[in-house]
Amino acid sequence: MTGHDAIDTSRPHPARVYDWLLGGKDNYPVDEQMARQLLALDSRAPEMARVNRAFMHRATRWLGMTGGVRQYLDIGTGIPTEPNLHQIAQQVAPDSRIVYTDNDPIVLRHAEALLRSTPEGVTEYVQADAREPGAIIEAAGKTLDLDRPVALSLIALLHFVSDDDGAHELVRALLAPLAPGSYLVLSHVTGDFDPDTSERARELYKQRGLTLVPRTRDEFAAFFEGLDLVGPGVSLATDWRPELGEVVPLSGDGPIPGYAGVARKP
Amino acid sequence: MSEPRSAPTVGQVVLGRRLQDLRERAGLKREEAAKLLRVAPATIRRMETAEVTLKIPYVQVLLRAYGIAEAEAEAFVELTEEANKPGWWQRFHDILPDWFSMYVSLEGAAALLRAYEPHFVPGLLQTEDYARSVMRAGAVGQARPDDIERHVALRMERQSLLTRPDAPRFWVIMDETVLRRPVGDSPEIMREQIDRLLETSALPNVTLQIAEFSSGHHPGTYGPFVIFRFAVPELPDMVYSEYLTGAVYLDARPEVATHLEVMDRMAAQAATAPRTKEILRDVRKEL
């Protein structure tokens, strides 16, 4: 993919919609409009975004502290929001090496301009589509030592990839070249608790030519097949090791409809 | 009536906006607020848009009427006093037009500056000799040598911004023209300038991208502009757009969004930061 051919600012972009929900300013009116529609559908949309973000923080802290991970491959990085993955990883271990990947050149340039490594560590930026795992691994291998464990994170990403588009094959292809002891970190939207709203959200995305695939708990758990889930296993994002970090204050009743999990490659 | 004054500081702009928020939340119209102060409604508008300096007694009356608690009102008054103090750049008031005084104030208050520069190395990254040469070449009408030296001194003083403890992020896209059109009467000036660019782009808060000729036409060709972002979330991004004899400041959402998109598209199209360093080294060798 070469640069600007890939830019489409006429449609909302999930990363920029997410940025708006998090109170960021790196979004355009088309993204704000979409975000406001999601908000009208479910007033807890900004909380969902914050909960997902908080899970990423806690998972990264766990990986650095308990998992002893020093290498990260983050796919679908999104627009920088403090603290970012490398900041948390490098808080734990300043020499941590992070490869950030996104398919959107605008999003990636933001990451490159604003996500700066500690002097001891490395942050590198790779523009690649998640559906081209070979290209991602090849580029990541220039910065990461693939003979040593890597934490592969696909945070709030797989619900934009359908089964037909090869969501499962993608995860397998990305994991296969990684050393034993590597980790897979996932978070994902679900319709398990409010199928009606979830269906309307899917429709909202579809009208804009975007794919949204909320998955059930079992469908989500299938991504971890053959791996060893670390405690507490597949859980609501809010329930994943809350002791490790900030608690997002929630409004309303019922769970925030997102699953999360971290698993180790044997 | 409004009194003549220099350009507002960012603090004054923030407080003006905040005052408007508080009035709207209290459900008062400008006319109603104006009655409390026995002034024209336009005066309230000017206070809220920072066209006039906020007077403390006025602020106190308004905050009381808006139902603001004692402690918060006191904090507001303190901030107002702070914002009304002149900035360091007032020492250069003799050469500093209002429209640029505002720029220096914004620059000092921003947490992120994104600049597009089609013609010159941005002021914050210029060497003294480069700055002097640019000003000599650009000075029409008011080209007094003393003034030029004062401008150079002001520019050099502004640069301390990039290395202060709470330095802002500075993200620049420069057109390749900037490297190709020599500035000054000796190649040494350009060489030193490029060395400076290589040095500053190594700072953790500075990102430099070159929009190469070979990357084709891009949407920024209308002219230079800067987008300021502030740490205060309520304050919108602000766009500074320059023309020959002045500048405009835009903070309306649609205008800001258009500039943001153009800047983003240019950033996506221009050479990446690591590639830009290679380009700079190559150009340096050719000089």
Side-chain angles (χ1 to χ4, degrees):
Chain A
M1 201 177 314
T2 55
H4 54 278
D5 318 328
I7 305 174
D8 179 3
T9 52
S10 66
R11 288 188 301 176
H13 186 288
R16 297 192 305 255
V17 172
Y18 194 64
D19 176 71
W20 189 90
L21 290 171
L22 289 169
K25 290 175 177 169
D26 289 310
N27 49 75
Y28 310 143
V30 67
D31 308 302
E32 177 175 348
Q33 193 197 12
M34 170 83 172
R36 284 187 189 281
Q37 278 173 304
L38 288 172
L39 199 62
L41 214 55
D42 187 345
S43 64
R44 298 206 294 171
E47 288 164 40
M48 288 171 65
R50 284 201 296 275
V51 158
N52 180 62
R53 202 73 206 158
F55 160 71
M56 183 275 277
H57 297 167
R58 300 194 309 270
T60 306
R61 217 163 277 143
W62 186 91
L63 288 161
M65 285 162 51
T66 310
V69 173
R70 298 294 177 262
Q71 307 192 95
Y72 297 81
L73 174 54
D74 182 56
I75 298 183
T77 294
I79 289 165
T81 307
E82 303 250 324
N84 293 285
L85 192 152
H86 77 284
Q87 288 166 307
I88 295 184
Q90 294 184 340
Q91 247 169 33
V92 177
D95 60 341
S96 297
R97 305 170 77 84
I98 293 94
V99 174
Y100 285 119
T101 310
D102 208 288
N103 65 343
D104 186 88
I106 288 180
V107 170
L108 199 65
R109 289 291 92 77
H110 276 265
E112 189 164 20
L114 300 178
L115 307 183
R116 289 292 182 88
S117 170
T118 55
E120 302 90 334
V122 176
T123 51
E124 193 54 70
Y125 312 87
V126 172
Q127 187 186 329
D129 197 290
R131 282 160 299 194
E132 298 162 2
I136 293 179
I137 291 294
E138 194 196 328
K142 291 178 186 154
T143 303
L144 306 178
D145 176 359
L146 299 184
D147 295 330
R148 290 172 48 225
V150 173
L152 167 69
S153 61
L154 299 101
I155 303 284
L157 183 80
L158 288 173
H159 50 235
F160 297 120
V161 187
S162 68
D163 286 358
D164 290 345
D165 247 350
H168 293 271
E169 293 80 353
L170 158 72
V171 174
R172 276 199 294 275
L174 286 168
L175 271 176
L178 301 185
S182 291
Y183 287 93
L184 174 65
V185 186
L186 300 181
S187 67
H188 200 291
V189 156
T190 184
D192 282 358
F193 306 100
D194 187 351
D196 186 43
T197 303
S198 157
E199 177 53 31
R200 282 156 69 195
R202 201 185 61 76
E203 199 52 42
L204 209 58
Y205 277 87
K206 198 177 161 194
Q207 284 161 13
R208 287 163 182 76
L210 301 168
T211 309
L212 181 72
V213 201
R215 288 190 172 91
T216 65
R217 189 190 165 98
D218 287 347
E219 286 167 347
F220 175 66
F223 286 114
F224 294 108
E225 239 171 55
L227 307 175
D228 303 326
L229 278 158
V230 304
V234 166
S235 64
L236 287 171
T238 38
D239 294 344
W240 199 92
R241 295 191 176 269
E243 74 281 4
L244 279 175
E246 70 274 48
V247 174
V248 179
L250 300 176
S251 64
D253 301 325
I256 292 287
Y259 290 121
V262 177
R264 186 174 182 278
K265 180 177 172 176
Chain B
M1 271 310 290
S2 68
E3 63 215 51
R5 61 181 290 227
S6 55
T9 64
V10 170
Q12 288 169 328
V13 176
V14 174
L15 291 169
R17 278 191 167 269
R18 181 93 183 109
L19 209 54
Q20 177 177 351
D21 280 353
L22 295 173
R23 174 176 59 73
E24 285 169 357
R25 256 185 248 171
L28 262 70
K29 294 206 163 62
R30 284 207 174 106
E31 291 72 19
E32 294 168 299
K35 270 188 199 141
L36 297 165
L37 304 182
R38 301 204 179 87
V39 296
T43 302
I44 301 292
R45 184 184 53 73
R46 289 200 193 100
M47 288 172 73
E48 292 175 349
T49 53
E51 282 171 54
V52 294
T53 303
L54 291 175
K55 289 186 182 136
I56 304 295
Y58 279 8
V59 168
Q60 286 168 326
V61 171
L62 290 179
L63 292 178
R64 214 169 302 135
Y66 299 163
I68 304 307
E70 191 83 11
E72 199 188 329
E74 254 171 55
F76 196 105
V77 166
E78 258 174 52
L79 288 174
T80 308
E81 283 169 346
E82 193 58 38
N84 290 350
K85 283 184 193 157
W88 64 265
W89 55 90
Q90 298 303 332
R91 282 191 283 113
F92 291 91
H93 69 94
D94 53 319
I95 54 153
L96 203 56
D98 272 0
W99 61 266
F100 199 66
S101 158
M102 175 80 172
Y103 181 88
V104 178
S105 170
L106 288 169
E107 184 177 78
L112 168 68
L113 298 114
R114 295 181 67 187
Y116 168 58
E117 270 297 344
H119 308 304
F120 303 111
V121 168
L124 286 177
L125 304 179
Q126 290 177 1
T127 65
E128 212 171 307
D129 284 341
Y130 183 96
R132 193 172 289 116
S133 304
V134 166
M135 281 177 202
R136 279 197 192 131
V140 181
Q142 79 286 22
R144 296 209 346 249
D146 289 0
D147 280 359
I148 287 184
E149 284 314 304
R150 296 270 293 152
H151 276 290
V152 171
L154 166 64
R155 194 162 288 183
M156 294 304 121
E157 193 154 340
R158 278 169 52 209
Q159 294 183 353
S160 62
L161 182 75
L162 292 180
T163 47
R164 71 180 191 197
D166 58 339
R169 303 269 192 171
F170 189 41
W171 181 1
V172 181
I173 300 168
M174 284 191 316
D175 208 86
E176 186 175 340
T177 314
V178 175
L179 303 178
R180 299 294 174 191
R181 187 196 299 278
V183 160
D185 45 21
S186 102
E188 199 47 39
I189 292 178
M190 277 309 276
R191 270 200 287 268
E192 280 178 11
Q193 181 57 64
I194 289 176
D195 287 342
R196 171 68 62 84
L197 289 175
L198 282 163
E199 227 172 82
T200 38
S201 62
L203 291 172
N205 54 320
V206 176
T207 301
L208 214 55
Q209 291 187 263
I210 302 281
E212 291 176 278
F213 293 146
S214 61
S215 71
H217 204 71
H218 60 69
T221 34
Y222 297 100
F225 65 98
V226 180
I227 305 173
F228 298 97
R229 179 165 300 167
F230 307 96
V232 187
E234 300 95 66
L235 201 65
D237 287 355
M238 203 174 268
V239 174
Y240 163 90
S241 178
E242 219 171 66
Y243 52 91
L244 188 57
T245 51
V248 286
Y249 294 92
L250 313 166
D251 70 354
R253 167 81 168 147
E255 288 171 322
V256 172
T258 303
H259 283 84
L260 200 61
E261 180 175 343
V262 166
M263 193 71 97
D264 279 345
R265 282 175 165 272
M266 284 194 287
Q269 195 176 336
T272 64
R275 168 80 190 117
T276 292
K277 284 177 197 175
E278 287 172 26
I279 296 171
L280 289 172
R281 280 187 211 109
D282 290 348
V283 173
R284 173 76 170 76
K285 268 182 233 153
E286 289 166 28
L287 283 170

